[in-house]
Amino acid sequence: MSDPMTMQEESDHFSPYRADGKLYGFVCVVTGANMPVGSAIVTELAAHGAACIYACTTATNSDEPPSPYSSLLANLYPNTKVIEYPYSISSEQDTLVLIDEALNAWGRIDVWVCSSGLLGPPSIDMTTPADLQRCFEANSLAPFFALKYAPPAMQKTSPKGSYPNAAPKDQAYGSIIIVTSTASTYGGCWGPCYTMSSHAALGVVRAGVAVLKGTGVRINAISPGQIDVGVSLNGLDTDMKGVMNNTQLPPAALQSPAAQKQNIGLERAGRPAEVARVAGFLASGFSSYITGSNMVVDGGASVMCPLMVPI
């Protein structure tokens, strides 16, 4: 039996050097697509030739019109079908239904990105058991569902479809990408349940390597540091609940520009698109020998002496 990695190199359909895109023909799922990092990842995958992207959001009203973001992507990348998909990250049933729908419609799933993180409260005094549960659901239960249910779907092969950007899938291939935080490796960048659940997210990745042996499916983490996701500190005290429940990463403004220059190797906060580029790399054959890794995207901050930022 041929080695899966050798097969990947031999298959033209998975070559990252394709002129029509390193992800040409791929069918992808991105959770947290309504958040800045998830939205940037959807754009990145579309830019490299994906055939279909399920942009999963927490919206529940199916009568809502498509967002302007979807219209923009349709104009930029008309051959990529972006499907805004209401999805509960804590629902096992939603995960199974999504996989069934994708296989029925496209015959394949190639990439699954969990980018549905949640901050939770900034201090132990503010943290309730319910807060901790929500953080674990967003930051580690959703990755667990991906690890448990996506690989069998990714192993399915399929002939070339009749849709735009179609390509045959002639081998088992899959990439699971967990977007977490540098809180996955140390504490102090926000509250306790954020650190605990981020560590658990990285635990899913570490455990996944043995689970996925022999499947042709890889799993990796991306741990962003300070990323400017557009969250302002203005009114932070009065709108703390909104920040806790609707934000994936700590506000970059917790450190002033002067402090960022002092404590970050690249002297600035990162941008969602810079996280998305790493996701595009991990989704493609360029990372064919990478699994179980934690790609730290923090501008070098964790290499310098990380500061404990008081809230």
Side-chain angles (χ1 to χ4, degrees), residues 190-211:
W190 193 256
C193 63
Y194 185 62
T195 298
M196 293 164 64
S197 56
S198 295
H199 273 67
L202 186 56
V204 173
V205 171
R206 303 298 198 213
V209 175
V211 171

Side-chain angles (χ1 to χ4, degrees), residues 15 17 39 56 70 79 89 134 138 161 194 224 301:
S15 170
Y17 295 102
S39 175
C56 298
S70 290
N79 289 332
I89 55 176
R134 282 192 292 269
Y194 185 62

Side-chain angles (χ1 to χ4, degrees), residues 59 65 69 79 106 130 132 156 188 191 206 210 239 241 270 274 298 302 309:
Y69 145 80
N79 289 332
W106 307 91
L132 185 62
K156 294 183 181 296
R206 303 298 198 213
D239 193 31
K241 192 165 186 178
E274 292 176 308
D298 70 348
S302 57
V309 181

Side-chain angles (χ1 to χ4, degrees), residues 62-212:
S62 59
D63 295 327
E64 289 181 358
S67 68
Y69 145 80
S70 290
S71 301
L72 177 62
L73 286 183
N75 290 330
L76 288 173
Y77 311 109
N79 289 332
T80 297
K81 178 73 171 177
V82 177
I83 301 172
E84 289 197 51
Y85 192 91
Y87 173 75
S88 171
I89 55 176
S90 61
S91 171
E92 187 174 29
Q93 183 63 27
D94 275 14
T95 304
L96 293 171
V97 169
L98 171 55
I99 290 172
D100 283 346
E101 290 188 11
L103 289 178
N104 288 335
W106 307 91
R108 59 189 288 178
I109 297 177
D110 305 284
V111 177
W112 193 293
V113 183
C114 286
S115 184
S116 46
L118 190 65
L119 275 181
S123 69
I124 192 72
D125 293 338
M126 297 177 66
T127 303
T128 67
D131 292 323
L132 185 62
Q133 180 68 28
R134 282 192 292 269
C135 279
F136 270 104
E137 286 178 356
N139 297 336
S140 56
L141 183 60
F144 167 75
F145 286 154
L147 173 62
K148 185 174 177 66
Y149 295 117
M154 291 174 165
Q155 289 180 277
K156 294 183 181 296
T157 57
S158 64
K160 182 176 180 179
S162 57
Y163 48 84
N165 281 17
K169 184 169 185 175
D170 57 4
Q171 65 183 73
Y173 177 89
S175 178
I176 299 171
I177 302 164
I178 311 302
V179 181
T180 177
S181 159
T182 47
S184 65
T185 56
Y186 60 85
C189 61
W190 193 256
C193 63
Y194 185 62
T195 298
M196 293 164 64
S197 56
S198 295
H199 273 67
L202 186 56
V204 173
V205 171
R206 303 298 198 213
V209 175
V211 171
L212 296 173

Side-chain angles (χ1 to χ4, degrees), residues 279-300:
F281 164 73
L282 290 174
S284 76
F286 279 124
S287 58
S288 60
Y289 199 56
I290 299 177
T291 191
S293 292
N294 184 23
M295 310 292 283
V296 177
V297 185
D298 70 348

Side-chain angles (χ1 to χ4, degrees), residues 16 22-23 30 36-48 77 111 113 115 175 177 179 218 220-224 227 266 268-287 290 295-298:
K22 65 184 179 184
L23 304 177
V30 180
V37 171
S39 175
I41 291 172
V42 172
T43 302
E44 179 72 12
L45 301 181
H48 291 285
Y77 311 109
V111 177
V113 183
S115 184
S175 178
I177 302 164
V179 181
R218 299 177 290 110
N220 293 285
I222 302 176
S223 287
I227 305 297
L266 294 179
R268 62 172 175 84
R271 297 181 290 272
E274 292 176 308
V275 180
R277 290 169 185 167
V278 180
F281 164 73
L282 290 174
S284 76
F286 279 124
S287 58
I290 299 177
M295 310 292 283
V296 177
V297 185
D298 70 348

